[in-house]
Amino acid sequence: MSHIKQKIKKICCIGAGYVGGPTMAVIALNCPELEIHVVDISEERIEKWNSKDLSKLPVYERGLDKILEKTRGINLFFSTNIDLAIEQSQMIFISVNTPVKKSGIGAGQMSDLRYVEACTRRISEKAKGHTIIVEKSTLPVRTAQTIKSILSSKIGSNNKDKTFSVLSNPEFLAEGTAINDLQNPDRVLIGGEDNYSISVLEKIYLNWVPSNKIIKTNLWSSELSKLASNAFLAQRISSINSISAFCEVSGADVAEVSKAIGKDQRIGAEFLKSGPGFGGSCFKKDILNLVYLCNYFGLKEVGDYWQGVVNINEWQQDRIYKIIVDKLFGNVSCKQIAILGFSFKSGTNDTRESPSISISKKLLSEGAFLKIHDPKVKASQILKDLDGYNFVEDDMDYDNSNNQGSWTFSKDVLTASKNADAIVVLTEWEEYKTINWEEISLYLRKPSWIFDARGVLDSSRIERIGLNLWRLGSGNFNNLS
Ligand code: NAD
Ligand code: UGA
């Protein structure tokens, strides 16, 4: 086996997304001796990664631009030349998307592995010599087996000396804090069967991660730990959100309850902020995948338990929408509602599974006119997310005669608030915490409502000037009926 102990000089990452781009940028920064190629089938995405203007990167992450200034074109390269990158690399990260299957067996739950399979086939065909394959995407347990089977078929001709070793190295970064999470991870997980390959990957991380933070497991524990981690995090959010509803009917305050719970060191304070439900590309899909696997392996009760986490999340969004309609006298048709925040959380321009999408769609279906603002999400993205709903360029183009829900993009909070009957805060952006309510109040149509679904607004200031306030998880204010 001595031929496989070659030095790693070139690595590549297939998939230049939210994970592939930032992860490879941080490896490039910490390992200047490595040449790293991030490749993707999307020309548009790669063009953006190569854009001279660093504000045009396809992913917005604090600190990413500074890292690219130091690495791009030096030891970090972005291209669509996937085959060449595969041929030249001794280690290949698979970081493609793994969405939920839309149709067929397991539709709506099971991971769609078509992208993983496509690039594995390509690796199988194009790789040369010994190659370490690293699963970076979040995958169903035992996917490494599928990858190994495809690789071992060694598609193509030049396959005499082709050998592979498969590792699982799931990513735990959160969007918005990706660079810090990658530079200072709580842990790095490496699962595998071949100690030499594990040590090669470990050596890369040891350039900046302390050895006591690197956990080595078998392949299946590593794959399952990623799904379980996301399920546990999401479960905490659904737990506190279920309590938020209880607070509203009992006079308690969820911020106080969450602080009291979190002070118990066994529970801990993180991930206990109630809100409009978890969004993001992964929590829902990963739990649904876990549910699917539980049922597949005959563990129905376990699957039902985790399904409950998703159910509460959907219920929370539906609950907020119904409260808005209820407070506005049961009718939002032709009413103007400012939606503040469209990304699934602050610090990112990502809208995937954002609670703002589902709540906006429900309000639009009731005939409301939504004026949507977000400091980072572009109107073009919202157009995709609200596909099928009527868009107007600005307030002047709004025609309320047809009773149809419509929306427009507002460039700032003030514009969104003009003539609005209600303001709904759905993302906890910093700038919403310091809104000048005295000024905004002048522009609202009275009686006006402020709905704070993130518990971030200056409530005493809002109440002082006589606006109606509903705050998620608060038994005070106007929540109690
Ligand atoms: P993404 O959609 O942003 O990026 C995936 C990229 O892969 C896309 O640019 C797509 O064009 C490319 N791709 C698909 N098939 C390809 C192929 N055959 N060859 C080359 N490129 C191909 O996805 P993401 O958010 O980066 O997530 C990637 C994986 O990481 C997923 O499994 C996800 O669950 C996991 N993950 C995501 C996060 C996150 O915060 N987004 C965090 C941890 C783990
Ligand atoms: C999450 C995990 O935190 C990462 O560890 C994981 O790697 C990633 O998923 C993934 O696998 O994709 P991310 O989705 O980027 O990261 O964002 P989070 O910070 O976890 O937030 C997810 C959602 O939960 C957001 O909508 C956020 O607003 C919500 N949330 C979070 C709450 O409502 N309350 C909280 O206390 C925390």
Side-chain angles (χ1 to χ4, degrees), residues 221-281:
S221 301
S222 175
E223 288 179 338
L224 182 55
S225 297
K226 173 61 194 177
L227 291 183
S229 291
N230 275 0
F232 270 60
L233 289 169
Q235 178 209 44
R236 285 172 72 91
I237 300 169
S238 280
S239 296
I240 199 67
N241 282 343
S242 71
I243 296 296
S244 75
F246 209 141
C247 289
E248 288 162 28
V249 295
S250 64
D253 186 306
V254 74
E256 294 175 355
V257 174
S258 134
K259 189 172 174 191
I261 298 172
K263 281 286 178 199
D264 185 329
Q265 285 185 14
R266 292 168 303 176
I267 297 175
E270 299 291 320
F271 268 70
L272 286 182
K273 267 197 95 34
S274 71
F278 54 79
S281 59

Side-chain angles (χ1 to χ4, degrees), residues 19 138 171-177 181 187 226 230 233 237 240-241 270-283 286 344-346 353 355 428 454:
V19 169
T138 303
E171 186 47 61
F172 296 102
L173 68 79
E175 287 178 32
T177 53
D181 295 342
R187 79 303 208 183
K226 173 61 194 177
N230 275 0
L233 289 169
I237 300 169
I240 199 67
N241 282 343
E270 299 291 320
F271 268 70
L272 286 182
K273 267 197 95 34
S274 71
F278 54 79
S281 59
C282 297
F283 278 176
D286 292 348
F344 76 96
K345 63 172 184 178
S346 62
E353 295 293 336
E428 72 284 22
R454 289 280 186 174

Side-chain angles (χ1 to χ4, degrees), residues 86-87 89 92 122-129 131 133 158 162 164:
I86 293 173
E87 270 171 43
S89 298
I92 300 175
R122 213 152 171 178
I123 294 170
S124 180
E125 187 180 351
K126 298 290 173 191
K128 285 188 174 156
T131 316
I133 310 300
N158 292 333
K162 238 185 245 188
F164 298 100

